[in-house]
């Protein structure tokens, strides 16, 4: 998952107060935390899939449901609508848990795709205009949190957030408009008053940088 | 263009990953492309990780108006209800990707080939808002579609065979994106027939007056 900075590749140094070493050490700790958080989520999903384990489901619910609902709300869905869709996602989680393959996607990525598809299906059933308030006045440029504001370590998402926060602002902003506000690349070009080619190249540059720092999903 | 065959701009993969594609036509074309092209699929997976990170970083809503128990009750109710049987999959032609197959099944649409020009056939599949059209193009080996452009935009996914546009070669799983400024000079490769899934907005624009005259009949 990480390109470098694994415990076994850390250089051996004697000095006690070595800042490089300290940074490496904390990175290793973070990695271990992320690894165990992820393993725990995988186990919970597998328990639901294998034995319809209600308590495992409740743990997953507590972890994911509030975030899914907040995510829908940020995308401009009315509260009751966000509530309904979030419950649908949790129902899907229950039903599809048996088919979850941890080698293909981290738990959060798997649930994210369920949430996204749920919204698309719902969206195709009704008209777009009724659902999205594109002039949402509550939008802020700094909505993508920096690493410091992380409260909980959440497996894969963590390294991606780090990579996001290291992007130049104009590139991060474009990804933010897409994933948080739900705008297509052409809508982003309209919103920012930029040529389509400029928006496309910002996305390309952002993804080239992200690829280097987040690496492949193991 | 990418060195790994012809991929789309990351912008399209981002739209797919963020769930912001504009129409069902775009969704089925992109899904078919991802099914056929593992590099494109890999890009979408990276972008889905970005989407997941953004979702996980959303400030948690502390009090939900529903609980895990309520959802579990609902699941129990749903499981008691008789589930509707899925319609058996009708085996369709081998060149049709599963995503397109499912789309056609859902729209209850058969592939019906019509004359488009010498060595060319088309099958209209779907028409969206603002004149967007999803259709199949079948071309015989060696057929040329000389200098033409579009008044709108176009995405073309190769399902079978290959074609050249100028000096660029497009093979099964590749997509070509064209805008109003793009000029095409297409020749189908000699190896075999070529079938493409195309999504177009706006009419084709031919320099050749003969092809222009024929446009009346083809509807494209």
């Amino acid at each position: 998952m990480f390109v470098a900075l694994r415990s076994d590749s850390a250089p051996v140094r004697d000095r006690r107060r070595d800042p490089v070493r300290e940074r490496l050490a904390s990175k290793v700790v973070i990695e271990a935390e992320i690894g165990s958080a992820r393993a725990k989520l995988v186990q919970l999903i597998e328990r639901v899939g294998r034995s319809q384990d209600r308590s495992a489901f409740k743990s997953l619910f507590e972890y994911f449901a509030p975030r899914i609902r907040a995510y829908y709300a940020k995308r401009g869905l009315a509260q009751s609508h966000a509530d309904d869709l979030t419950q649908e996602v949790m129902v899907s989680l229950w039903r599809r848990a048996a088919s979850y393959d941890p080698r293909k996607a981290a738990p959060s990525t798997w649930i994210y795709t369920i949430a996204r598809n749920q919204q698309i299906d719902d969206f195709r059933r009704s008209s777009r205009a009724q659902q999205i308030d594109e002039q949402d006045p509550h939008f802020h440029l700094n909505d993508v949190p920096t690493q410091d504001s992380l409260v909980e370590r959440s497996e894969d998402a963590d390294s991606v957030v780090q990579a996001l926060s290291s992007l130049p602002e104009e590139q991060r902003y474009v990804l933010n408009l897409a994933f948080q506000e739900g705008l297509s690349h052409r809508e982003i070009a309209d919103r920012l008053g930029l040529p389509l080619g400029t928006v496309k190249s910002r996305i390309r540059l952002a993804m080239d940088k992200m690829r280097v720092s987040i690496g492949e999903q193991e | 263009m990418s060195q790994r065959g012809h991929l789309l701009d990351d912008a399209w993969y981002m739209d797919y990953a963020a769930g912001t594609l504009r129409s069902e036509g775009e969704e089925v074309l992109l899904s078919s492309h991802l099914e056929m092209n593992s590099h494109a699929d890999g890009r979408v997976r990276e972008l889905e990780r970005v989407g997941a990170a953004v979702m996980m970083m959303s400030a948690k809503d502390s009090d939900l108006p529903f609980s895990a128990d309520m959802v579990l009750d609902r699941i129990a109710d749903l499981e008691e209800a008789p589930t509707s049987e899925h319609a058996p999959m009708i085996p369709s032609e081998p060149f049709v990707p599963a995503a397109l197959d499912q789309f056609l099944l859902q729209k209850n649409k058969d592939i019906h080939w019509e004359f488009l020009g010498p060595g060319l056939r088309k099958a209209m599949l779907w028409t969206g808002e603002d004149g967007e059209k999803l259709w199949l193009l079948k071309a015989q080996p060696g057929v040329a579609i000389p200098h033409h452009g579009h008044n709108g935009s176009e995405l073309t996914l190769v399902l079978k065979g290959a074609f050249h546009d100028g000096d660029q070669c497009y093979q099964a799983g590749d997509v070509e994106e064209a805008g109003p400024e793009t000029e095409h000079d297409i020749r189908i490769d000699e190896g075999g027939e070529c079938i493409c899934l195309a999504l177009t907005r706006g009419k084709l624009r031919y320099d050749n007056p003969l092809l222009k005259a024929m446009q009346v009949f083809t509807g494209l």
Side-chain angles (χ1 to χ4, degrees):
Chain A
M1 190 149 95
F2 288 87
V3 171
L5 304 179
R6 303 196 77 94
S7 56
D8 53 359
S9 65
V12 181
R13 298 189 190 203
D14 295 332
R15 278 182 298 158
R16 254 191 108 68
R17 309 277 319 158
D18 182 338
V20 175
R21 188 180 176 174
E22 280 173 14
R23 221 174 52 233
L24 285 172
S26 76
K27 186 97 183 176
V28 170
V29 170
I30 290 168
E31 260 188 74
E33 283 177 19
I34 292 169
S36 76
R38 178 176 170 158
K40 218 158 112 188
L41 290 170
V42 170
Q43 274 172 19
L44 290 171
I45 297 171
E46 285 175 346
R47 272 164 58 193
V48 172
R50 238 179 279 139
S51 50
Q52 287 82 51
D53 185 324
R54 294 167 70 95
S55 77
F57 179 78
K58 283 182 190 174
S59 303
L60 290 167
F61 179 94
E62 274 162 34
Y63 192 71
F64 287 111
R67 292 183 163 97
I68 296 166
R69 183 168 175 269
Y71 162 80
Y72 281 144
K74 275 227 171 98
R75 283 208 152 188
L77 297 193
Q79 224 167 62
S80 62
H81 196 181
D83 290 342
D84 290 349
L85 281 188
T86 304
Q87 292 179 73
E88 294 294 327
V89 174
M90 296 313 295
V91 171
S92 293
L93 186 156
W94 175 271
R95 291 180 156 178
R96 295 191 207 166
S99 67
Y100 170 64
D101 182 351
R103 289 165 304 179
K104 285 193 180 150
S108 61
T109 307
W110 181 64
I111 300 209
Y112 165 74
T113 57
I114 294 176
R116 175 200 64 195
N117 295 347
Q118 201 82 53
Q119 194 188 1
I120 294 171
D121 290 348
D122 179 73
F123 185 73
R124 295 287 169 230
R125 273 184 247 129
S126 49
S127 90
R128 186 166 197 165
Q130 290 168 332
Q131 291 176 29
I132 295 177
D133 176 17
E134 299 204 359
Q135 304 303 318
D136 184 359
H138 301 298
F139 176 72
H140 298 294
L141 178 56
N142 296 323
D143 269 355
V144 168
T146 56
Q147 199 193 335
D148 299 335
S149 67
L150 289 179
V151 182
E152 286 178 65
R153 305 242 151 254
S154 61
E155 35 92 65
D156 186 56
D158 229 24
S159 60
V160 180
V161 169
Q162 270 186 24
L164 273 173
S165 63
S166 68
L167 290 177
E169 177 127 322
E170 59 173 30
Q171 291 170 20
R172 192 173 69 231
Y173 187 41
V174 168
L175 291 180
N176 196 12
L177 287 174
F179 288 101
Q180 208 160 65
E181 281 214 51
L183 299 186
S184 71
H185 71 272
R186 282 158 298 187
E187 288 166 334
I188 292 169
D190 287 346
R191 167 82 72 97
L192 302 180
L194 291 170
L196 212 50
T198 308
V199 171
K200 283 182 173 179
S201 80
R202 282 185 192 176
I203 297 164
R204 199 161 47 228
L205 289 169
M207 287 316 293
D208 286 346
K209 288 207 188 81
M210 299 281 290
R211 233 162 253 141
V212 173
S213 44
I214 68 179
E216 301 286 321
Q217 181 78 54
E218 75 254 54
Chain B
M1 249 327 145
S2 160
Q3 59 276 43
R4 291 166 159 178
H6 291 280
L7 299 186
L8 284 168
D9 256 302
D10 279 334
W12 285 101
Y13 302 130
M14 181 189 78
D15 286 1
Y16 183 94
T20 61
L21 288 169
R22 269 202 295 203
S23 68
E24 287 176 281
E26 289 183 354
E27 276 158 19
V28 70
L29 191 139
L30 263 286
S31 300
S32 302
H33 170 48
L34 298 178
E35 206 180 302
M36 298 177 73
N37 190 318
S38 61
H39 297 303
D41 190 58
R43 298 213 167 183
V44 166
R45 285 177 189 278
E46 285 165 351
L47 280 148
E48 284 171 344
R49 290 170 69 192
V50 176
V54 170
M55 182 180 82
M56 294 311 289
M57 293 309 121
S58 300
K60 277 169 69 172
D61 281 353
S62 44
D63 24 270
L64 295 178
F66 53 90
S67 65
D69 282 319
M70 283 163 69
V71 176
L72 283 166
D73 287 348
R74 206 151 140 242
I75 289 165
D77 290 346
L78 287 170
E79 276 166 6
E80 278 166 24
T83 49
S84 58
E85 285 289 315
H86 283 286
M89 287 291 279
I90 303 151
S92 65
E93 304 190 53
F95 67 85
V96 177
L100 178 59
D101 216 25
Q102 209 184 338
F103 177 83
L104 295 176
L105 199 69
Q106 192 192 322
K107 302 280 172 205
N108 203 10
K109 182 86 192 162
D110 292 325
I111 296 170
H112 178 65
W113 293 107
E114 291 170 69
F115 178 80
L116 177 63
L120 293 171
R121 286 175 162 263
K122 66 158 187 191
M124 201 53 68
L125 302 179
W126 171 85
T127 307
E129 290 162 30
D130 66 33
E132 197 182 12
K133 289 190 173 98
L134 185 74
W135 51 287
L136 290 166
L137 172 72
K138 180 153 76 175
Q140 293 310 307
V143 165
I145 311 168
H147 302 284
H148 70 280
H150 306 272
N151 292 316
S153 58
E154 182 182 66
L155 292 174
T156 307
L157 167 67
V158 184
L159 299 180
K160 184 188 173 190
F163 70 82
H164 273 76
D165 189 356
D167 59 356
Q168 297 290 310
C169 178
Y170 294 87
Q171 296 174 318
D174 289 351
V175 183
E176 182 179 38
E177 182 184 8
E181 72 290 347
T182 318
E183 281 297 315
H184 293 293
D185 189 11
I186 289 174
R187 177 172 288 278
I188 308 303
D189 287 14
E190 293 290 349
E193 69 172 10
C194 177
I195 300 175
C196 296
L197 179 65
L199 184 70
T200 49
R201 278 198 178 82
K203 296 230 172 219
L204 297 185
R205 174 166 51 70
Y206 294 106
D207 297 339
N208 183 327
L210 207 80
L211 288 170
K212 203 171 191 165
M214 219 160 66
Q215 197 168 20
V216 179
F217 303 105
T218 63
L220 288 169

